[in-house]
CSV table of all heavy atoms in Angstrom, one decimal:
chain,number,residue,atom,x,y,z
A,1,ILE,N,0.8,-1.2,0.0
A,1,ILE,CA,0.0,0.0,0.0
A,1,ILE,C,0.9,1.2,0.0
A,1,ILE,O,0.7,2.2,-0.8
A,1,ILE,CB,-0.9,0.0,1.2
A,1,ILE,CG1,-2.0,-1.0,1.1
A,1,ILE,CG2,-1.6,1.4,1.4
A,1,ILE,CD1,-3.1,-0.7,0.1
A,2,MET,N,1.9,1.3,0.9
A,2,MET,CA,2.8,2.4,1.0
A,2,MET,C,3.5,2.7,-0.4
A,2,MET,O,3.6,3.8,-0.7
A,2,MET,CB,3.8,2.2,2.1
A,2,MET,CG,3.1,2.1,3.5
A,2,MET,SD,2.2,3.5,4.0
A,2,MET,CE,3.4,4.8,4.1
A,3,LEU,N,3.9,1.6,-1.0
A,3,LEU,CA,4.7,1.8,-2.3
A,3,LEU,C,3.7,2.3,-3.4
A,3,LEU,O,4.1,3.1,-4.2
A,3,LEU,CB,5.3,0.4,-2.7
A,3,LEU,CG,6.5,0.0,-1.9
A,3,LEU,CD1,6.8,-1.5,-2.1
A,3,LEU,CD2,7.7,0.8,-2.3
A,4,ALA,N,2.5,1.8,-3.4
A,4,ALA,CA,1.5,2.3,-4.3
A,4,ALA,C,1.2,3.8,-4.1
A,4,ALA,O,0.8,4.5,-5.0
A,4,ALA,CB,0.2,1.5,-4.2
A,5,LEU,N,1.3,4.3,-2.9
A,5,LEU,CA,0.9,5.6,-2.5
A,5,LEU,C,2.0,6.6,-3.0
A,5,LEU,O,1.8,7.8,-2.8
A,5,LEU,CB,0.7,5.7,-1.0
A,5,LEU,CG,-0.6,5.3,-0.5
A,5,LEU,CD1,-0.7,5.2,1.0
A,5,LEU,CD2,-1.8,6.1,-1.0
A,6,SER,N,3.1,6.2,-3.4
A,6,SER,CA,4.2,7.1,-3.8
A,6,SER,C,3.6,8.2,-4.8
A,6,SER,O,3.0,7.8,-5.8
A,6,SER,CB,5.3,6.4,-4.5
A,6,SER,OG,6.3,7.3,-5.0
A,7,SER,N,3.9,9.4,-4.5
A,7,SER,CA,3.4,10.5,-5.4
A,7,SER,C,4.1,10.6,-6.7
A,7,SER,O,3.7,11.3,-7.6
A,7,SER,CB,3.5,11.8,-4.6
A,7,SER,OG,4.9,12.1,-4.3
A,8,ASP,N,5.3,9.8,-6.8
A,8,ASP,CA,6.1,9.8,-8.0
A,8,ASP,C,5.3,9.2,-9.2
A,8,ASP,O,5.3,9.7,-10.3
A,8,ASP,CB,7.3,9.0,-7.8
A,8,ASP,CG,8.3,9.7,-7.0
A,8,ASP,OD1,8.3,10.9,-6.9
A,8,ASP,OD2,9.2,9.0,-6.4
A,9,TRP,N,4.5,8.2,-8.9
A,9,TRP,CA,3.8,7.5,-10.0
A,9,TRP,C,2.8,8.4,-10.7
A,9,TRP,O,2.8,8.5,-11.9
A,9,TRP,CB,3.2,6.1,-9.5
A,9,TRP,CG,4.0,5.3,-8.6
A,9,TRP,CD1,3.7,4.6,-7.5
A,9,TRP,CD2,5.4,5.0,-8.8
A,9,TRP,NE1,4.7,4.0,-6.9
A,9,TRP,CE2,5.9,4.2,-7.7
A,9,TRP,CE3,6.4,5.5,-9.7
A,9,TRP,CZ2,7.1,3.8,-7.5
A,9,TRP,CZ3,7.7,5.0,-9.5
A,9,TRP,CH2,8.1,4.2,-8.4
A,10,PRO,N,1.9,9.0,-10.0
A,10,PRO,CA,0.9,9.9,-10.7
A,10,PRO,C,1.6,11.0,-11.4
A,10,PRO,O,1.3,11.4,-12.6
A,10,PRO,CB,0.0,10.5,-9.6
A,10,PRO,CG,0.0,9.4,-8.5
A,10,PRO,CD,1.5,8.9,-8.5
A,11,ARG,N,2.7,11.6,-10.8
A,11,ARG,CA,3.5,12.7,-11.5
A,11,ARG,C,4.1,12.2,-12.8
A,11,ARG,O,4.0,13.0,-13.8
A,11,ARG,CB,4.5,13.2,-10.5
A,11,ARG,CG,4.0,14.3,-9.6
A,11,ARG,CD,5.1,15.2,-9.1
A,11,ARG,NE,6.0,14.5,-8.2
A,11,ARG,CZ,6.0,14.6,-6.9
A,11,ARG,NH1,5.1,15.3,-6.4
A,11,ARG,NH2,6.9,14.0,-6.2
A,12,LEU,N,4.6,11.0,-12.8
A,12,LEU,CA,5.3,10.5,-14.0
A,12,LEU,C,4.3,10.2,-15.1
A,12,LEU,O,4.6,10.2,-16.3
A,12,LEU,CB,6.1,9.2,-13.6
A,12,LEU,CG,7.4,9.5,-12.8
A,12,LEU,CD1,8.0,8.2,-12.4
A,12,LEU,CD2,8.4,10.4,-13.6
A,13,MET,N,3.1,9.9,-14.7
A,13,MET,CA,2.0,9.5,-15.6
A,13,MET,C,1.3,10.8,-16.2
A,13,MET,O,0.6,10.7,-17.1
A,13,MET,CB,1.0,8.6,-15.1
A,13,MET,CG,1.6,7.1,-14.9
A,13,MET,SD,0.2,6.0,-14.4
A,13,MET,CE,-0.2,6.5,-12.8
A,14,SER,N,1.6,11.9,-15.5
A,14,SER,CA,0.8,13.1,-15.9
A,14,SER,C,1.2,13.6,-17.3
A,14,SER,O,2.3,13.2,-17.8
A,14,SER,CB,1.1,14.3,-14.9
A,14,SER,OG,2.4,14.7,-15.0
A,15,GLU,N,0.4,14.4,-17.9
A,15,GLU,CA,0.6,14.9,-19.3
A,15,GLU,C,2.0,15.6,-19.4
A,15,GLU,O,2.7,15.6,-20.3
A,15,GLU,CB,-0.5,15.8,-19.7
A,15,GLU,CG,-0.4,16.4,-21.1
A,15,GLU,CD,-0.4,15.3,-22.2
A,15,GLU,OE1,-1.0,14.2,-22.0
A,15,GLU,OE2,0.3,15.5,-23.2
A,16,ILE,N,2.3,16.4,-18.3
A,16,ILE,CA,3.5,17.2,-18.4
A,16,ILE,C,4.7,16.4,-18.4
A,16,ILE,O,5.6,16.7,-19.3
A,16,ILE,CB,3.5,18.1,-17.1
A,16,ILE,CG1,2.4,19.1,-17.1
A,16,ILE,CG2,4.9,18.8,-17.0
A,16,ILE,CD1,2.2,19.7,-15.8
A,17,HIS,N,4.8,15.3,-17.7
A,17,HIS,CA,6.0,14.5,-17.7
A,17,HIS,C,6.0,13.5,-18.9
A,17,HIS,O,7.0,13.3,-19.5
A,17,HIS,CB,6.2,13.7,-16.4
A,17,HIS,CG,6.6,14.5,-15.2
A,17,HIS,ND1,7.9,15.1,-15.2
A,17,HIS,CD2,6.0,15.0,-14.1
A,17,HIS,CE1,8.0,15.8,-14.1
A,17,HIS,NE2,6.9,15.7,-13.5
A,18,SER,N,4.9,12.8,-19.1
A,18,SER,CA,4.9,11.7,-20.0
A,18,SER,C,5.1,12.3,-21.5
A,18,SER,O,5.6,11.5,-22.4
A,18,SER,CB,3.5,11.0,-20.0
A,18,SER,OG,2.5,11.8,-20.3
A,19,SER,N,4.8,13.5,-21.7
A,19,SER,CA,5.1,14.1,-23.1
A,19,SER,C,6.5,14.2,-23.3
A,19,SER,O,7.0,14.1,-24.5
A,19,SER,CB,4.4,15.4,-23.3
A,19,SER,OG,4.9,16.3,-22.2
A,20,SER,N,7.4,14.4,-22.3
A,20,SER,CA,8.7,14.5,-22.5
A,20,SER,C,9.5,13.1,-22.6
A,20,SER,O,10.5,13.0,-23.3
A,20,SER,CB,9.4,15.4,-21.5
A,20,SER,OG,9.2,14.8,-20.2
A,21,LEU,N,9.0,12.1,-21.8
A,21,LEU,CA,9.7,10.9,-21.8
A,21,LEU,C,8.6,9.8,-21.6
A,21,LEU,O,8.3,9.4,-20.4
A,21,LEU,CB,10.7,10.8,-20.7
A,21,LEU,CG,11.7,9.6,-20.7
A,21,LEU,CD1,12.3,9.4,-22.1
A,21,LEU,CD2,12.7,9.7,-19.6
A,22,PRO,N,7.9,9.3,-22.6
A,22,PRO,CA,6.8,8.4,-22.4
A,22,PRO,C,7.1,7.0,-21.7
A,22,PRO,O,6.3,6.5,-21.1
A,22,PRO,CB,6.5,8.0,-23.9
A,22,PRO,CG,7.0,9.1,-24.7
A,22,PRO,CD,8.2,9.7,-24.0
A,23,ARG,N,8.5,6.7,-21.6
A,23,ARG,CA,8.8,5.5,-20.9
A,23,ARG,C,8.5,5.6,-19.4
A,23,ARG,O,8.2,4.7,-18.7
A,23,ARG,CB,10.3,5.2,-21.1
A,23,ARG,CG,10.6,4.6,-22.5
A,23,ARG,CD,12.1,4.3,-22.6
A,23,ARG,NE,12.4,3.7,-23.8
A,23,ARG,CZ,13.7,3.2,-24.1
A,23,ARG,NH1,14.6,3.3,-23.2
A,23,ARG,NH2,13.9,2.6,-25.3
A,24,TRP,N,8.6,6.8,-19.0
A,24,TRP,CA,8.3,7.1,-17.5
A,24,TRP,C,6.9,6.7,-17.2
A,24,TRP,O,6.5,6.1,-16.2
A,24,TRP,CB,8.6,8.5,-17.2
A,24,TRP,CG,10.0,8.9,-17.1
A,24,TRP,CD1,11.0,8.1,-17.5
A,24,TRP,CD2,10.5,10.1,-16.6
A,24,TRP,NE1,12.2,8.8,-17.2
A,24,TRP,CE2,11.9,10.1,-16.7
A,24,TRP,CE3,10.0,11.3,-16.1
A,24,TRP,CZ2,12.8,11.1,-16.3
A,24,TRP,CZ3,10.8,12.4,-15.8
A,24,TRP,CH2,12.1,12.3,-15.8
A,25,LYS,N,6.0,7.1,-18.1
A,25,LYS,CA,4.6,6.8,-17.9
A,25,LYS,C,4.3,5.3,-17.8
A,25,LYS,O,3.6,4.9,-16.9
A,25,LYS,CB,3.7,7.4,-19.1
A,25,LYS,CG,2.3,7.2,-19.0
A,25,LYS,CD,1.5,7.9,-20.1
A,25,LYS,CE,0.0,7.7,-20.0
A,25,LYS,NZ,-0.7,8.3,-21.1
A,26,SER,N,4.9,4.5,-18.7
A,26,SER,CA,4.6,3.1,-18.7
A,26,SER,C,5.3,2.4,-17.5
A,26,SER,O,4.7,1.5,-16.9
A,26,SER,CB,5.2,2.4,-20.0
A,26,SER,OG,6.6,2.7,-20.0
A,27,TYR,N,6.4,2.9,-17.0
A,27,TYR,CA,7.1,2.4,-15.8
A,27,TYR,C,6.2,2.7,-14.6
A,27,TYR,O,6.0,1.8,-13.7
A,27,TYR,CB,8.5,3.0,-15.7
A,27,TYR,CG,9.2,2.6,-14.4
A,27,TYR,CD1,9.8,1.3,-14.3
A,27,TYR,CD2,9.2,3.4,-13.3
A,27,TYR,CE1,10.4,0.9,-13.2
A,27,TYR,CE2,9.9,3.0,-12.1
A,27,TYR,CZ,10.5,1.7,-12.0
A,27,TYR,OH,11.1,1.4,-10.9
A,28,ALA,N,5.8,3.9,-14.4
A,28,ALA,CA,5.0,4.3,-13.3
A,28,ALA,C,3.6,3.5,-13.2
A,28,ALA,O,3.2,3.1,-12.2
A,28,ALA,CB,4.7,5.8,-13.3
A,29,ARG,N,3.0,3.4,-14.4
A,29,ARG,CA,1.8,2.6,-14.5
A,29,ARG,C,2.0,1.2,-14.0
A,29,ARG,O,1.2,0.6,-13.2
A,29,ARG,CB,1.2,2.6,-15.8
A,29,ARG,CG,-0.2,1.9,-15.9
A,29,ARG,CD,-0.7,1.8,-17.4
A,29,ARG,NE,-2.0,1.2,-17.4
A,29,ARG,CZ,-3.2,1.9,-17.4
A,29,ARG,NH1,-3.2,3.2,-17.5
A,29,ARG,NH2,-4.3,1.2,-17.4
A,30,LYS,N,3.1,0.5,-14.4
A,30,LYS,CA,3.4,-0.8,-14.1
A,30,LYS,C,3.7,-0.9,-12.6
A,30,LYS,O,3.2,-1.9,-11.9
A,30,LYS,CB,4.7,-1.3,-14.8
A,30,LYS,CG,5.1,-2.7,-14.5
A,30,LYS,CD,6.3,-3.2,-15.3
A,30,LYS,CE,6.6,-4.6,-15.1
A,30,LYS,NZ,6.9,-4.9,-13.7
A,31,ARG,N,4.3,0.1,-12.0
A,31,ARG,CA,4.6,0.0,-10.5
A,31,ARG,C,3.3,0.0,-9.7
A,31,ARG,O,3.2,-0.7,-8.8
A,31,ARG,CB,5.5,1.2,-10.1
A,31,ARG,CG,7.0,1.0,-10.6
A,31,ARG,CD,7.7,-0.2,-10.0
A,31,ARG,NE,7.7,-0.1,-8.5
A,31,ARG,CZ,8.6,0.5,-7.8
A,31,ARG,NH1,9.7,1.0,-8.4
A,31,ARG,NH2,8.6,0.5,-6.5
A,32,ILE,N,2.4,0.9,-10.1
A,32,ILE,CA,1.1,1.0,-9.4
A,32,ILE,C,0.3,-0.3,-9.5
A,32,ILE,O,-0.2,-0.9,-8.5
A,32,ILE,CB,0.3,2.2,-9.8
A,32,ILE,CG1,0.9,3.5,-9.3
A,32,ILE,CG2,-1.1,2.1,-9.3
A,32,ILE,CD1,0.2,4.8,-9.7
A,33,GLU,N,0.2,-0.8,-10.7
A,33,GLU,CA,-0.5,-2.0,-11.0
A,33,GLU,C,0.1,-3.2,-10.2
A,33,GLU,O,-0.6,-4.0,-9.7
A,33,GLU,CB,-0.5,-2.3,-12.5
A,33,GLU,CG,-1.4,-1.3,-13.3
A,33,GLU,CD,-1.4,-1.5,-14.7
A,33,GLU,OE1,-0.4,-2.2,-15.3
A,33,GLU,OE2,-2.3,-1.0,-15.5
A,34,ASP,N,1.5,-3.3,-10.2
A,34,ASP,CA,2.1,-4.4,-9.5
A,34,ASP,C,1.8,-4.3,-8.0
A,34,ASP,O,1.5,-5.3,-7.4
A,34,ASP,CB,3.6,-4.3,-9.7
A,34,ASP,CG,4.1,-4.7,-11.1
A,34,ASP,OD1,3.2,-5.3,-11.8
A,34,ASP,OD2,5.2,-4.5,-11.5
A,35,HIS,N,1.9,-3.1,-7.4
A,35,HIS,CA,1.7,-3.0,-6.0
A,35,HIS,C,0.2,-3.3,-5.6
A,35,HIS,O,0.0,-4.0,-4.6
A,35,HIS,CB,2.2,-1.7,-5.4
A,35,HIS,CG,3.6,-1.4,-5.6
A,35,HIS,ND1,4.6,-2.4,-5.2
A,35,HIS,CD2,4.4,-0.4,-6.1
A,35,HIS,CE1,5.8,-1.9,-5.4
A,35,HIS,NE2,5.7,-0.8,-6.1
A,36,ILE,N,-0.7,-2.8,-6.4
A,36,ILE,CA,-2.1,-3.0,-6.1
A,36,ILE,C,-2.4,-4.5,-6.3
A,36,ILE,O,-3.2,-5.1,-5.5
A,36,ILE,CB,-3.0,-2.2,-7.0
A,36,ILE,CG1,-2.9,-0.7,-6.7
A,36,ILE,CG2,-4.5,-2.6,-6.9
A,36,ILE,CD1,-3.2,-0.3,-5.3
A,37,ARG,N,-1.8,-5.1,-7.3
A,37,ARG,CA,-2.0,-6.5,-7.6
A,37,ARG,C,-1.5,-7.4,-6.4
A,37,ARG,O,-2.1,-8.3,-6.0
A,37,ARG,CB,-1.4,-7.0,-8.9
A,37,ARG,CG,-1.7,-8.4,-9.3
A,37,ARG,CD,-1.0,-8.8,-10.6
A,37,ARG,NE,-1.4,-7.9,-11.7
A,37,ARG,CZ,-0.6,-7.0,-12.3
A,37,ARG,NH1,0.6,-6.8,-11.8
A,37,ARG,NH2,-1.1,-6.3,-13.3
A,38,ASN,N,-0.3,-7.0,-6.0
A,38,ASN,CA,0.4,-7.8,-4.9
A,38,ASN,C,-0.5,-7.7,-3.6
A,38,ASN,O,-0.7,-8.7,-2.9
A,38,ASN,CB,1.8,-7.2,-4.6
A,38,ASN,CG,2.7,-7.4,-5.7
A,38,ASN,OD1,2.5,-8.4,-6.5
A,38,ASN,ND2,3.8,-6.6,-5.7
A,39,PHE,N,-1.0,-6.4,-3.4
A,39,PHE,CA,-1.8,-6.2,-2.2
A,39,PHE,C,-3.1,-7.1,-2.2
A,39,PHE,O,-3.5,-7.8,-1.3
A,39,PHE,CB,-2.2,-4.8,-2.0
A,39,PHE,CG,-3.3,-4.6,-1.0
A,39,PHE,CD1,-3.0,-4.7,0.4
A,39,PHE,CD2,-4.7,-4.5,-1.4
A,39,PHE,CE1,-4.1,-4.6,1.3
A,39,PHE,CE2,-5.7,-4.4,-0.4
A,39,PHE,CZ,-5.4,-4.4,0.9
A,40,THR,N,-3.8,-7.1,-3.4
A,40,THR,CA,-5.0,-7.8,-3.6
A,40,THR,C,-4.8,-9.3,-3.5
A,40,THR,O,-5.6,-10.0,-2.9
A,40,THR,CB,-5.6,-7.5,-5.0
A,40,THR,OG1,-5.7,-6.0,-5.1
A,40,THR,CG2,-6.9,-8.2,-5.2
A,41,THR,N,-3.7,-9.8,-4.0
A,41,THR,CA,-3.4,-11.2,-3.8
A,41,THR,C,-3.3,-11.6,-2.3
A,41,THR,O,-3.8,-12.6,-1.9
A,41,THR,CB,-2.1,-11.6,-4.6
A,41,THR,OG1,-2.2,-11.2,-6.0
A,41,THR,CG2,-1.7,-13.1,-4.4
A,42,ILE,N,-2.6,-10.8,-1.6
A,42,ILE,CA,-2.5,-11.1,-0.1
A,42,ILE,C,-3.8,-10.9,0.6
A,42,ILE,O,-4.1,-11.8,1.4
A,42,ILE,CB,-1.4,-10.1,0.5
A,42,ILE,CG1,0.0,-10.3,-0.1
A,42,ILE,CG2,-1.4,-10.2,2.1
A,42,ILE,CD1,1.0,-9.3,0.4
A,43,TYR,N,-4.6,-9.9,0.2
A,43,TYR,CA,-5.9,-9.7,0.8
A,43,TYR,C,-6.8,-11.0,0.5
A,43,TYR,O,-7.4,-11.4,1.5
A,43,TYR,CB,-6.5,-8.5,0.2
A,43,TYR,CG,-8.0,-8.2,0.6
A,43,TYR,CD1,-8.3,-7.7,1.8
A,43,TYR,CD2,-9.1,-8.6,-0.3
A,43,TYR,CE1,-9.6,-7.5,2.1
A,43,TYR,CE2,-10.3,-8.4,0.1
A,43,TYR,CZ,-10.6,-7.8,1.3
A,43,TYR,OH,-11.9,-7.6,1.7
A,44,GLU,N,-6.8,-11.4,-0.7
A,44,GLU,CA,-7.7,-12.6,-1.0
A,44,GLU,C,-7.1,-13.9,-0.3
A,44,GLU,O,-7.9,-14.7,0.1
A,44,GLU,CB,-7.7,-12.8,-2.5
A,44,GLU,CG,-8.5,-11.7,-3.2
A,44,GLU,CD,-8.5,-11.8,-4.7
A,44,GLU,OE1,-7.7,-12.6,-5.2
A,44,GLU,OE2,-9.3,-11.0,-5.4
């Protein structure tokens, strides 16, 4: 949960950042999805 809450991920996915380096957007999205998926697996 704490890792998913990092403010870096939304910032990297924002229009301002992703327009300059699209790879950041895909990396940030993967990090959030991974942490939420990991949490959900433990929860279930």
Side-chain angles (χ1 to χ4, degrees):
I1 289 288
M2 298 300 293
L3 287 166
L5 281 170
S6 172
S7 61
D8 288 338
W9 314 140
R11 275 204 291 262
L12 290 175
M13 287 190 293
S14 70
E15 179 62 32
I16 295 169
H17 284 292
S18 62
S19 60
S20 59
L21 191 55
R23 287 183 176 182
W24 286 8
K25 181 177 180 179
S26 61
Y27 176 79
R29 183 184 184 98
K30 181 178 183 299
R31 287 297 301 270
I32 288 182
E33 290 177 343
D34 284 350
H35 295 309
I36 295 298
R37 185 181 301 109
N38 292 339
F39 167 79
T40 303
T41 300
I42 296 174
Y43 174 81
E44 293 176 348

